[in-house]
């Protein structure tokens, strides 16, 4: 086994070890916030340093072996070398009795690999867990679905929506980064293991295509091979009802691994099924996309996300306007806020440049380390409908938060002091980070929101603390519009009618972040304390 193969075997064994279960569980949410993903760069830089030292050690060892090889080879190539020369005869016997043994049983190679292994074990606790790989793979599938991305294009590093014969570039990266066959296989295998053949098949097909193109080439870091991809893809097609494709792929597998008895039995099974039901030869089963969250509004939600924040022409009407807002408050007279009314029912306004770059950066810094506790005191669980990390910041954490609250109060005319408003929630979205359609206000009397004893959430004030390159819009499902991420701007809307009833038109979602690092800060304002600031009305329309 060569040095590359030994290294591959070693890293494969190391990757299987999970270590401390609690530590692994804590590492299992790296994918859920881009800041956590960025921190993973540090341990990889340490691993690069370890590998560089290993390679230098191996290069020195191989240079020495090459020197020995060339020395002995020159003696054999010199036909005039007389073995009768006692010096040469002695060195021949010494080489065969001693030198070759020292070369073959040298400890230098094992010492080099041992140093690499020891260094890896020290870094291992800081590495993402397998759950992170699964989460990142599911994120790619989510982006694939919501933005209708072409898997073959993703594998080439391009973000293209394909609808029929039309191809739309959603994002053009400055540098193309393509995926390998092993990369595509890992994404497909995550879907395969979940029984999700709708996603598994296109990713495994791409893996098979890439492995075919590089067949015979050994890559140390790869875990899978062409045979692995063919094996999984064949069974995925069988489970999806396409026996003909399953048979074709299984036969191809046997070309590379003719002694595999399990695959040979599968071939016989598929041939028998096709013989019994000839219609399977031409019939292609339609694989339905799994609707895991059972979203009734999924099509509308995804359609709004695909606009990437552009407004329908319908809403470009005269009653929507822009202005400099002071709200008749002395605090804003010298520095009014640029206001853009983007919807009337429900009322939604966007306040441009609400915070400065330095304020946004400070809030992001205060949010780490993450405090995974919601306002009601309950633990924030990992869930598929929301991929993000959040922190709750008390006003006393930093003077900038006090200033921010004064500005929100001046602009909205509402009381944002506790308990009339919640602490500032800061959110960082992860890979493909999103928040599926939801209401900010409580829709059940048993909601934890009522534990604050200050009523329901009457309004939402959401601040964009960063920009993104693509995706991440805020989609209002029933209002039929999406608002793009606007750096340092704030979005405001009323969650309740003046009667206290929830406004069902405020159903909204955070679209998956296609490219970029999305940060938002939410200030949720409650009913109590606003009685004279936003008077009640018996009319359900107000």
């Amino acid at each position: 086994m060569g040095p590359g193969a030994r290294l591959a075997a070693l890293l494969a064994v190391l990757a299987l070890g999970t270590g401390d279960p609690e530590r692994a569980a804590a590492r299992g949410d790296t994918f859920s916030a881009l800041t956590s993903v960025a921190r993973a760069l540090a341990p990889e830089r340490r691993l690069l340093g370890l590998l560089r030292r290993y390679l230098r050690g191996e290069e020195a060892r191989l240079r020495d072996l090459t020197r020995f090889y060339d020395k002995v080879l020159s003696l054999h190539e010199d036909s005039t070398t007389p073995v009768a020369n006692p010096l040469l005869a002695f060195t021949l016997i010494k080489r065969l009795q001693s030198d070759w043994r020292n070369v073959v049983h040298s400890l230098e190679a094992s010492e080099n690999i041992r140093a690499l292994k020891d260094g890896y074990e020290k870094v291992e606790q800081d590495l993402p867990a397998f759950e992170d790989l699964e989460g990142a793979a599911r994120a790619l599938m989510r982006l694939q679905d919501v933005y209708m991305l072409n898997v073959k294009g993703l594998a080439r590093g391009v973000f293209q929506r394909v609808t029929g014969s039309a191809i739309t570039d959603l994002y053009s990266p400055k540098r193309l980064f393509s995926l390998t066959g092993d990369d595509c296989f890992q994404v497909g295998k995550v879907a395969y293991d979940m029984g999700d053949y709708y996603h598994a098949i296109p990713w495994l097909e791409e893996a098979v295509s890439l492995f075919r193109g590089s067949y015979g080439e050994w890559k140390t870091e790869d875990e899978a091979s062409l045979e692995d991809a063919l094996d999984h893809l064949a069974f995925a097609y069988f489970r999806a009802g396409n026996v003909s494709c399953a048979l074709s792929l299984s036969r191809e597998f046997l070309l590379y691994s003719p002694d595999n008895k399990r695959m040979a039995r599968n071939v016989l099974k598929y041939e028998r099924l096709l013989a019994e039901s000839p219609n399977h030869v031409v019939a292609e089963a339609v694989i339905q996309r799994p609707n895991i969250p059972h979203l009734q509004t999924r099509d509308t939600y995804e359609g709004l996300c695909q606009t990437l924040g552009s407004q329908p022409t319908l809403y470009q009407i005269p009653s929507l306007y822009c202005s400099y807002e002071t709200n008749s408050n002395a605090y804003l007279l010298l520095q009014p806020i640029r206001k853009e009314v983007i919807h009337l029912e429900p009322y939604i306004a966007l306040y441009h440049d609400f915070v400065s770059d330095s304020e946004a950066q400070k809030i992001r810094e205060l949010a780490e380390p993450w405090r995974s506790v919601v306002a009601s005191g309950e633990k924030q669980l990992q869930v598929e409908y929301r991929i993000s990390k959040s922190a709750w910041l008390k006003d006393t954490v930093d003077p900038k938060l006090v200033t921010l609250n004064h500005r929100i109060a001046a602009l909205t005319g509402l009381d944002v002091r506790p308990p009339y408003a919640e602490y500032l929630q800061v959110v960082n979205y992860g890979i493909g980070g999103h928040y599926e359609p939801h209401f900010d206000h409580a829709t059940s009397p048993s909601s934890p929101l009522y534990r604050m004893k200050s009523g329901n959430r009457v309004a939402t004030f959401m601040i964009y603390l960063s920009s993104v390159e693509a995706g991440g819009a805020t989609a209002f499902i029933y209002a039929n519009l999406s608002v793009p991420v606007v750096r340092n701007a704030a979005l405001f809307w009323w969650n309740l009618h003046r009667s206290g009833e929830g406004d069902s038109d405020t159903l909204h979602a955070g679209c998956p972040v296609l490219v970029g690092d999305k940060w938002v800060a939410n200030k949720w304002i409650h009913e109590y304390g606003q009685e004279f600031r936003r008077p009640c009305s018996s009319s359900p329309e107000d």
Side-chain angles (χ1 to χ4, degrees):
M1 181 182 289
R6 286 199 302 272
L7 178 58
L10 167 67
L11 295 180
V13 170
L14 290 173
L16 294 175
T18 57
D20 183 354
E22 292 185 2
R23 179 177 287 163
R27 287 158 43 215
D29 65 348
T30 298
F31 73 96
S32 64
L34 257 292
T35 50
S36 300
V37 177
R39 281 198 297 270
L41 291 170
E44 183 165 55
R45 281 192 289 268
R46 290 161 63 189
L47 288 174
L48 281 172
L50 291 170
L51 188 57
R52 182 175 62 249
R53 286 194 292 273
Y54 169 79
L55 290 173
R56 287 174 177 171
E58 286 294 281
E59 287 168 357
R61 185 176 67 86
L62 291 174
R63 281 197 301 271
D64 190 54
L65 286 176
T66 302
R67 176 199 55 76
F68 176 77
Y69 171 84
D70 291 340
K71 182 185 76 170
V72 176
L73 181 63
S74 66
L75 293 174
H76 282 260
E77 289 178 340
D78 187 355
S79 58
T80 63
T81 302
V83 292
N85 185 320
L87 296 177
L88 292 175
F90 168 78
T91 56
L92 171 62
I93 293 172
K94 176 181 175 291
R95 284 198 307 274
L96 295 175
Q97 199 281 324
S98 174
D99 294 2
W100 279 101
R101 182 177 68 250
N102 293 336
V103 167
V104 172
H105 296 285
S106 170
L107 296 177
E108 190 175 359
S110 59
E111 288 170 355
N112 290 340
I113 204 70
R114 182 70 249 177
L116 180 62
K117 180 178 179 180
D118 290 344
Y120 180 93
E121 289 173 349
K122 292 177 182 177
V123 178
E124 188 177 13
Q125 64 183 14
D126 299 324
L127 303 182
F130 181 71
E131 290 80 3
D132 291 306
L133 178 62
E134 290 181 315
R138 288 195 299 270
L140 290 181
M141 296 178 223
R142 184 183 312 116
L143 296 174
Q144 169 193 348
D145 289 341
V146 173
Y147 296 108
M148 301 176 67
L149 298 177
N150 177 264
V151 170
K152 190 171 288 292
L154 281 175
R156 297 198 317 272
V158 298
F159 297 80
Q160 294 178 327
R161 180 193 303 143
V162 178
T163 50
S165 59
I167 298 178
T168 306
D169 287 324
L170 298 183
Y171 171 71
S172 299
K174 296 178 181 178
R175 175 188 173 190
L176 288 181
F177 182 83
S178 58
L179 300 178
T180 66
D182 191 64
D183 295 333
C184 295
F185 174 81
Q186 294 299 336
V187 178
K189 189 174 184 302
V190 168
Y192 177 95
D193 289 342
M194 296 190 302
D196 174 9
Y197 304 115
Y198 174 88
H199 291 106
I201 287 175
W203 284 101
L204 290 173
E205 280 184 333
E206 189 60 25
V208 166
S209 175
L210 291 170
F211 277 130
R212 282 173 179 156
S214 61
Y215 189 75
E217 298 177 10
W218 167 253
K219 292 181 180 178
T220 304
E221 70 273 18
D222 282 359
E223 182 177 323
S225 63
L226 174 59
E227 291 89 331
D228 293 320
L230 287 169
D231 188 2
H232 284 76
L233 181 57
F235 191 71
Y237 265 121
F238 169 69
R239 294 288 293 176
N242 195 327
V243 181
S244 180
C245 277
L247 175 59
S248 175
L249 292 163
S250 299
R251 285 172 172 168
E252 182 180 352
F253 177 98
L254 288 176
L255 294 177
Y256 302 104
S257 185
D259 297 328
N260 191 295
K261 295 180 180 179
R262 177 180 59 82
M263 190 60 73
R265 289 194 299 270
N266 285 351
V267 167
L268 293 175
K269 175 182 178 180
Y270 300 151
E271 289 175 339
R272 185 177 68 254
L273 288 173
L274 289 174
E276 293 171 354
S277 303
N279 59 315
H280 275 299
V281 176
V282 294
E284 287 190 11
V286 177
I287 308 172
Q288 296 295 327
R289 173 185 164 189
N291 188 12
I292 297 173
H294 305 289
L295 287 177
Q296 296 179 348
T297 58
R298 185 175 71 179
D299 291 343
T300 304
Y301 157 58
E302 293 181 353
L304 289 170
C305 290
Q306 288 164 17
T307 66
L308 299 180
S310 60
Q311 305 301 327
T313 307
L314 172 66
Y315 293 102
Q316 297 174 2
I317 54 179
S319 55
L320 303 179
Y321 62 92
C322 296
S323 65
Y324 281 97
E325 183 65 54
T326 64
N327 199 26
S328 301
N329 188 295
Y331 187 86
L332 297 175
L333 284 177
L334 295 178
Q335 192 173 4
I337 304 293
R338 288 191 298 144
K339 173 183 176 180
E340 178 185 356
V341 177
I342 58 179
H343 205 267
L344 297 178
E345 294 181 5
Y347 178 83
I348 304 171
L350 185 69
Y351 297 98
H352 293 265
D353 297 317
F354 180 76
V355 294
S356 65
D357 286 340
S358 62
E359 287 174 322
Q361 181 178 348
K362 184 63 177 180
I363 294 170
R364 294 196 302 266
E365 290 172 355
L366 291 172
E368 294 188 79
W370 299 103
R371 303 157 178 83
S372 57
V373 179
V374 297
S376 62
E378 294 181 338
K379 199 71 174 174
Q380 182 170 287
L381 301 175
Q382 287 188 28
V383 285
E384 275 298 299
Y385 62 79
R386 178 190 61 230
I387 302 299
S388 63
K389 283 184 180 178
S390 61
W392 297 80
L393 303 180
K394 291 185 178 182
D395 306 345
T396 55
V397 170
D398 190 271
K400 285 186 182 294
L401 297 183
V402 177
T403 302
L404 185 71
N405 279 339
H406 287 164
R407 196 178 306 151
I408 295 174
L411 193 58
T412 63
L414 300 175
D415 192 339
V416 299
R417 297 171 300 172
Y420 308 125
E422 297 172 37
Y423 298 133
L424 190 71
Q425 185 205 44
V426 183
V427 181
N428 181 218
Y429 288 83
I431 305 171
H434 71 137
Y435 198 159
E436 288 177 353
H438 64 284
F439 294 106
D440 280 356
H441 62 275
T443 56
S444 167
S446 60
S447 170
L449 290 178
Y450 289 113
R451 295 180 186 177
M452 292 182 65
K453 301 188 184 301
S454 56
N456 208 340
R457 288 172 172 168
V458 67
T460 294
F461 199 91
M462 184 175 73
I463 308 166
Y464 293 116
L465 299 175
S466 68
S467 60
V468 298
E469 296 177 73
T474 303
F476 288 85
I477 312 305
Y478 297 138
N480 192 33
L481 82 155
S482 60
V483 183
V485 176
V486 180
R487 184 184 182 93
N488 296 345
L491 199 62
F492 173 83
W493 67 89
W494 297 106
N495 293 308
L496 306 180
H497 293 291
R498 288 182 181 270
S499 63
E501 293 296 317
D503 188 345
S504 60
D505 287 338
T506 61
L507 183 72
H508 63 286
C511 295
V513 180
L514 186 58
V515 182
D517 188 8
K518 180 182 176 182
W519 289 76
V520 300
N522 295 305
K523 191 72 172 180
W524 284 301
I525 306 165
H526 284 239
E527 293 176 280
Y528 297 178
Q530 322 305 336
E531 292 85 350
F532 299 103
R533 299 168 184 268
R534 192 193 189 224
C536 297
S537 169
S538 59
S539 172
E541 301 302 323
D542 292 343

